[in-house]
Amino acid sequence: MGEDRTARTAVRTITDLARLAGVSPGTVSRALAGKSLVNTKTREKIEAIAREHGFRPNQMASGLRRQKTGVIGVVIPLGHDTRQQISDTFFMTLLGFLADELTLEGYDLMLRRVVPKDDADWLDRFIGSGMIDGVIVIGQSDQFDRIEDVADGYGPMVVWGNHAEGQRHCVVGTDNRLGGRLAAERLIAAGAQRLAFLGDTTAIEFAARFAGAEDVVRRMGLPPIIELPTHLSPERASDEIARHLEAVMGRIDGVFAATDTLAALCLTGLRERGVAVPGDIKLIGFDDLPIASHTVPPLSTVKQDIAAGARGLVDLLLRRLAGEQTESLVLPPQLVVRQTA
Amino acid sequence: MGEDRTARTAVRTITDLARLAGVSPGTVSRALAGKSLVNTKTREKIEAIAREHGFRPNQMASGLRRQKTGVIGVVIPLGHDTRQQISDTFFMTLLGFLADELTLEGYDLMLRRVVPKDDADWLDRFIGSGMIDGVIVIGQSDQFDRIEDVADGYGPMVVWGNHAEGQRHCVVGTDNRLGGRLAAERLIAAGAQRLAFLGDTTAIEFAARFAGAEDVVRRMGLPPIIELPTHLSPERASDEIARHLEAVMGRIDGVFAATDTLAALCLTGLRERGVAVPGDIKLIGFDDLPIASHTVPPLSTVKQDIAAGARGLVDLLLRRLAGEQTESLVLPPQLVVRQTA
DNA sequence: ATTCCTGTTGCAAACGTTTGCAATGGGCGT
DNA sequence: ACGCCCATTGCAAACGTTTGCAACAGGAAT
């Protein structure tokens, strides 16, 4: 008992509520929106009824009328490596922070995972859906050009990824080239001379990290870095790394892994072969994921500030939504020396 | 050149397109929807124009009219442990698989992270928003009762979590109690007698794991399990675990961690104290996350089949959307013996 | 008493799509 | 040659909200 004070009339629309309150739908709309064009008494009455019936205005209708949805699209293109990435720790952590930031700003988040290979206009489709006010692209993958194309005609888009001179889309990301330099310098400072790079350089971010490392070895007159292309998904990566190690063992004394995840796998591979780290081979990763501090020995790495990245993405996107033109944001990476290099 | 065949007339609505094609909006709608009530010739013409102008029907309008949105809400309640969970590896992996499955079924995914403590009707608000056709709740957290309340009046909801006898909401999850039993049995089989449980049992899933372990020690007449409540976020957990170990060291010879993440941290803590694993203390985790196979020594654990879980969630939700009444789905956990127990 | 505000409210037209119903036309059977 | 049916299309009313404009009341100023 006590429950039946909620009238049997279900109040699903603003019009129902208006009827109950004895006012017009317009007034209800204004009252609920908090615009001050409505009498305090009336507003309170309306709010009371709304609360009592658990009424919430339909977001679809509101969105249609106002031509904005309160939803930000977040899309993860799976370019060169279909399986991985949506479960990749780095992207997931970034996504988590994004969710936090967007919620804080009153936006909802619509997540979409796309395979550009099977779906050429993945980006236009998302943008044109009318469901989102803006879009955040997590990772350029191998879709740099397509993103550039879209950037010309569509303002509210920010991309996580690598910044290239003169690019047209607004990007937030770590200075990968600098990160690569830091990594290589650390390996060399720890005593390594003949380096290898573990990772797939068709991903533009990884290419930049590789390039940074190359800068260093070239400057110091060391032999060129051996590229060891590797997929990101743990299942495939394990075997590939094993094969790589088989092939280059003895010819290298330092490994720069494109990712902590790869570094961790590499560490296991080295252990299995009885190779001492950092004794025989120095190893450094990238990202500073939680795993980096829990390998044995703990992984030296180049830290990306993921939280700052998320904040930057959202901040820039909001300003673009407000019509501002924004520059890209390049975050400084930070060397974290632990025990593998 | 060759680019200007795209007429300058921007075609944003179905009506624009209709004008261009010389038909009525209704026909365009039918053509684009693929319903076979339209002449092949006409359809092709319309499709051609649509393609040429990159036209996509507005999802908001469509959703409003059809009273369905093609969007599934995924909500992660952060109950007892505000900070964590959205970056928790387990939930993130589940989320990744969910994204895959939902995409496959033609649904979009709207992600929302909520703090029930600050926002009592988080679930009603999401459901009542009119933006989603159904909802998947990831983790019951400490919100079991609220979910139960909602389940009575709202069909299309499926929850990841623990199954309790006679509950009213449809849940998909691992048999946590059985998992707890497997873990305890393994610890004991490895030689442990005095067990501790690492984790916060106010989370219902963890409570079930704990209960399963208790079943075993009771049956075998061993001393009761010592509870070591611990937050999930790595930053807080590290210290808490250190303090716990300090307190119970020497009184235990086996640890059942509620999560692989906690187990990995515990392993580090034990190493720092010079405790041999599994020599002095046996250790077992839960989940079988990637990290489990890369600790040193690799972690024995109880595996949850995350992919199957995601598939189950989506499958049940779709059937509920179709009006079916569905039973809960309880997945069997699987013991994975590595080297810590 | 008349006029002019100001503060509230109602009216009705959007927003862009879908869909039941009716209208049109051509082909076919008789 | 007539009528009927079927395939295709157009018409217009929804879906639920927002918002410019107009209307209205009551009070203040003249």
Side-chain angles (χ1 to χ4, degrees), chain B residues 128-259:
Chain B
S129 72
M131 285 281 261
I132 57 177
D133 291 342
V135 65
I136 292 175
V137 181
I138 302 193
Q140 291 148 320
S141 181
D142 52 5
Q143 298 291 305
F144 191 91
D145 294 336
R146 183 159 297 276
I147 297 173
E148 282 285 277
D149 287 349
V150 169
D152 296 331
Y154 183 73
M157 173 174 75
V158 183
V159 180
W160 172 269
N162 197 64
H163 180 74
E165 205 55 52
Q167 74 178 51
R168 301 191 300 279
H169 65 264
C170 179
V171 76
V172 174
T174 303
D175 187 337
N176 285 300
R177 188 142 190 169
L178 173 55
R181 278 201 283 271
L182 293 177
E185 281 165 0
R186 176 61 207 164
L187 285 175
I188 294 167
Q193 301 264 341
R194 295 159 303 161
L195 307 188
F197 178 81
L198 198 61
D200 178 2
T201 51
T202 57
I204 190 170
E205 298 97 322
F206 293 174
R209 292 173 198 177
F210 177 72
E214 285 247 283
D215 290 347
V216 176
V217 304
R218 216 173 14 242
R219 172 163 24 95
M220 308 197 54
L222 298 175
I225 300 176
I226 302 176
E227 274 188 75
L228 306 175
T230 313
H231 288 87
L232 284 178
S233 55
E235 310 92 50
R236 308 179 65 171
S238 271
D239 290 349
E240 293 174 346
I241 290 174
R243 249 175 289 128
H244 284 324
L245 290 180
E246 211 58 59
V248 301
M249 200 53 70
R251 293 163 44 211
I252 60 167
D253 55 8
V255 174
F256 173 21
T259 280

Side-chain angles (χ1 to χ4, degrees), chain A residues 59-283:
Chain A
Q59 295 274 101
M60 286 267 147
S62 166
L64 178 59
R65 171 63 224 237
R66 311 209 336 261
Q67 295 293 82
K68 48 160 67 182
T69 65
V71 180
I72 299 298
V74 173
V75 56
I76 306 185
L78 307 182
H80 44 101
D81 196 350
T82 307
R83 183 64 219 143
Q84 180 58 8
Q85 270 179 333
I86 190 121
S87 63
D88 177 82
T89 312
F90 178 80
F91 284 118
M92 285 296 107
T93 311
L94 182 57
L95 180 61
F97 282 111
L98 276 179
D100 286 0
E101 293 291 334
L102 287 173
T103 306
L104 211 64
E105 302 287 349
Y107 280 97
D108 266 312
L109 186 163
M110 186 145 150
L111 180 63
R112 199 178 272 198
R113 165 201 178 281
V114 298
V115 182
K117 206 183 336 158
D118 309 342
D119 176 15
D121 58 7
W122 55 278
L123 192 45
D124 307 84
R125 186 200 305 289
F126 202 18
I127 290 170
S129 72
M131 285 280 260
I132 58 178
D133 291 341
V135 65
I136 292 175
V137 181
I138 302 194
Q140 290 148 322
S141 181
D142 52 5
Q143 297 291 304
F144 190 91
D145 294 335
R146 183 158 297 276
I147 297 173
E148 281 285 277
D149 287 349
V150 169
D152 296 330
Y154 183 73
M157 172 173 77
V158 182
V159 180
W160 172 270
N162 197 65
H163 180 74
E165 207 54 54
Q167 74 179 51
R168 300 189 302 276
H169 66 266
C170 178
V171 77
V172 173
T174 304
D175 187 338
N176 286 299
R177 188 143 188 168
L178 173 55
R181 278 201 283 271
L182 294 177
E185 280 165 1
R186 176 63 207 162
L187 285 175
I188 294 166
Q193 301 265 345
R194 295 159 303 164
L195 307 188
F197 179 82
L198 199 61
D200 178 2
T201 51
T202 57
I204 190 169
E205 297 97 323
F206 294 173
R209 292 172 198 176
F210 177 71
E214 285 246 286
D215 290 347
V216 176
V217 304
R218 215 172 15 238
R219 172 163 24 96
M220 310 200 49
L222 297 175
I225 300 176
I226 302 176
E227 273 188 77
L228 306 175
T230 312
H231 287 86
L232 284 178
S233 55
E235 310 93 49
R236 305 179 68 173
S238 271
D239 290 350
E240 293 174 346
I241 291 174
R243 247 176 289 129
H244 284 323
L245 291 180
E246 212 57 60
V248 301
M249 200 51 71
R251 292 164 43 212
I252 60 169
D253 55 9
V255 174
F256 173 21
T259 280
D260 282 346
T261 316
L262 290 179
L265 291 173
C266 182
L267 195 55
T268 321
L270 289 169
R271 179 191 328 284
E272 281 166 0
R273 282 174 178 65
V275 181
V277 177
D280 301 329
I281 287 192
K282 329 288 176 209
L283 175 63

Side-chain angles (χ1 to χ4, degrees), chain A residues 9 13-23 25 28:
Chain A
T9 15
T13 81
I14 229 173
T15 314
D16 297 341
L17 181 38
R19 198 175 310 121
L20 243 61
V23 296
V28 174

